Amino acid sequence: MGLPRFLAMDTATEACSVAVSTSSGVVEEFVVAVNAHSQLLLPMIQRVLDRVGMTLADIGAIACGVGPGGFTGVRIGVSTTQALAMARGLPVYPVSSLQALAATVPQPLVLAALDARKGEVYSGVFAQDAQGIPRLRGAEKVCAPEAVDWPEEGQWWGLGTGWHVYHARWQGPGILGWSDDSFPRAGAVLRLAQARCQSGDRGILPALLEPHYIRPSLPEET
């Protein structure tokens, strides 16, 4: 039995993206639009489905980037995924947005960092496995840039908006370079969920999907 058709989304950062799997690959729509995700997401889903001649009735599972990231953005993605999956009785696959970020480049060793505002970053260290899947080393964390524990050995590539703000503080012989304008993308979320499905992961019930905030939400946080 083949893999189900996946719908995927990530709204955890300034970027909003949607992707769907087809028999010939992955089709994605991606846009950077701050504070517009609630208006953009559903029309983007419809456009991507229209592009490939599909409807929600053709989707067999939904994957969602669950953060860390902006609290409002993460909630939009999680609530939309839950609503669509509950309506169709579909399993959902939560995917770390930091892992999805690491999966956007063909680099074996990635230092993923997203600007968390308030003088902090969300960070994670990822190394590709034999199948090319970025696997987390240690734990994802939110902290001041000076407190990030980047590895002292290996040749690493920096990725994410945290590098735009703090790259001057993270120099060292093991840093090959960095891409400071990179974001998690729904296409990467989808491929990570597909890999889990292929290995036997059946996903979770929509009601069990939760945001991956790392730090508690504050009233003014968005």
Side-chain angles (χ1 to χ4, degrees):
M1 184 176 179
L3 294 176
R5 295 287 175 86
F6 270 87
L7 172 68
M9 64 195 79
D10 191 285
T11 57
T13 65
E14 298 93 324
C16 182
S17 59
V18 172
V20 64
S21 61
T22 72
S23 58
S24 57
V26 175
V27 175
E28 181 187 60
E29 183 171 332
F30 173 91
V31 65
V32 177
V34 180
N35 297 327
H37 297 2
S38 60
Q39 291 79 38
L40 292 172
L41 184 57
L42 287 176
M44 287 176 69
I45 291 171
Q46 190 60 57
R47 281 196 301 272
V48 171
L49 289 172
D50 289 344
R51 281 171 58 188
V52 298
M54 294 168 56
T55 70
L56 281 173
D58 299 307
I59 299 299
I62 304 180
C64 179
V66 293
F71 293 108
T72 299
V74 170
R75 285 195 296 268
I76 290 169
V78 167
S79 62
T80 301
T81 296
Q82 287 178 319
L84 295 178
M86 286 179 178
R88 301 295 309 173
L90 301 177
V92 300
Y93 288 75
V95 174
S96 159
S97 294
L98 282 173
Q99 187 188 25
L101 173 63
T104 61
V105 295
Q107 296 286 344
L109 302 172
V110 171
L111 307 176
L114 293 170
D115 184 11
R117 316 300 183 195
K118 303 181 184 299
E120 295 182 318
V121 293
Y122 300 114
S123 66
V125 176
F126 294 87
Q128 283 187 0
D129 64 14
Q131 287 72 47
I133 303 297
R135 301 295 183 184
L136 180 66
R137 288 189 177 181
E140 296 180 352
K141 62 190 296 187
V142 58
C143 62
E146 296 83 1
V148 175
D149 298 321
W150 295 138
E152 296 182 2
E153 299 181 356
Q155 299 292 298
W156 299 81
W157 188 263
L159 200 62
T161 55
W163 286 87
H164 175 74
V165 182
Y166 300 113
H167 65 267
R169 308 187 192 186
W170 294 334
Q171 297 304 303
I175 307 298
L176 294 174
W178 63 89
S179 303
D180 58 13
D181 60 348
S182 300
F183 297 94
R185 298 183 71 116
V189 171
L190 191 154
R191 286 185 286 269
L192 291 169
Q194 278 185 322
R196 284 164 43 190
C197 182
Q198 197 161 25
S199 67
D201 185 340
R202 296 186 178 182
I204 62 174
L205 295 172
L208 300 179
L209 185 67
E210 294 183 347
H212 178 47
Y213 288 139
I214 298 184
R215 69 182 179 191
S217 176
L218 299 175
E220 71 274 14
E221 189 77 40
T222 59

